[in-house]
Amino acid sequence: MKALALVVMVLAACQQNKGPDECDRVVDHVLEVKRGINKTPPEQWEKDVAKWRAEMGPHCRAKFTREDRACMLAVQTLEDLGKCNDAMKNR
């Protein structure tokens, strides 16, 4: 019984300390790539980032497959991003 209680406590602690999920990583990565080619003023960029985060995270969680997320995490250019988007549209 004590062992079971210990396992439950460890599992609960692991859940609380869980870092960003894979979609958070996807959003962060895509925004970093976009930042590299960004031509908008910083104050507009921050507004755009807030909007994109609010849209992209839930969309990723609801729609992206494991392969979609892997593709997005490998993106280095806008061309790469377009290829991922095209692949998702064609499945």
Side-chain angles (χ1 to χ4, degrees):
M1 191 67 165
K2 288 181 183 180
L4 179 60
L6 180 60
V7 169
V8 170
M9 287 180 4
V10 168
L11 289 174
C14 287
Q15 284 296 326
Q16 289 177 351
N17 293 327
K18 190 168 90 173
D21 71 11
E22 194 169 34
C23 284
D24 289 338
R25 291 184 25 232
V26 166
V27 172
D28 290 344
H29 179 70
V30 170
L31 290 174
E32 279 304 309
V33 170
K34 285 185 169 201
R35 182 184 300 274
I37 55 96
N38 179 40
K39 303 278 192 245
T40 60
E43 61 279 355
Q44 183 61 44
W45 172 254
E46 292 307 317
K47 289 178 188 175
D48 292 345
V49 165
K51 182 181 96 175
W52 291 330
R53 277 190 194 288
E55 293 170 359
M56 288 181 4
H59 180 77
C60 174
R61 288 177 191 89
K63 306 274 183 181
F64 286 10
T65 64
R66 179 177 296 151
E67 293 79 18
D68 297 338
R69 293 187 301 271
C71 186
M72 290 297 209
L73 287 169
V75 163
Q76 296 299 315
T77 65
L78 283 182
E79 183 178 308
D80 294 343
L81 185 58
K83 289 177 185 175
C84 287
N85 285 330
D86 289 345
M88 286 185 262
K89 288 178 189 173
N90 293 325
R91 62 174 158 87

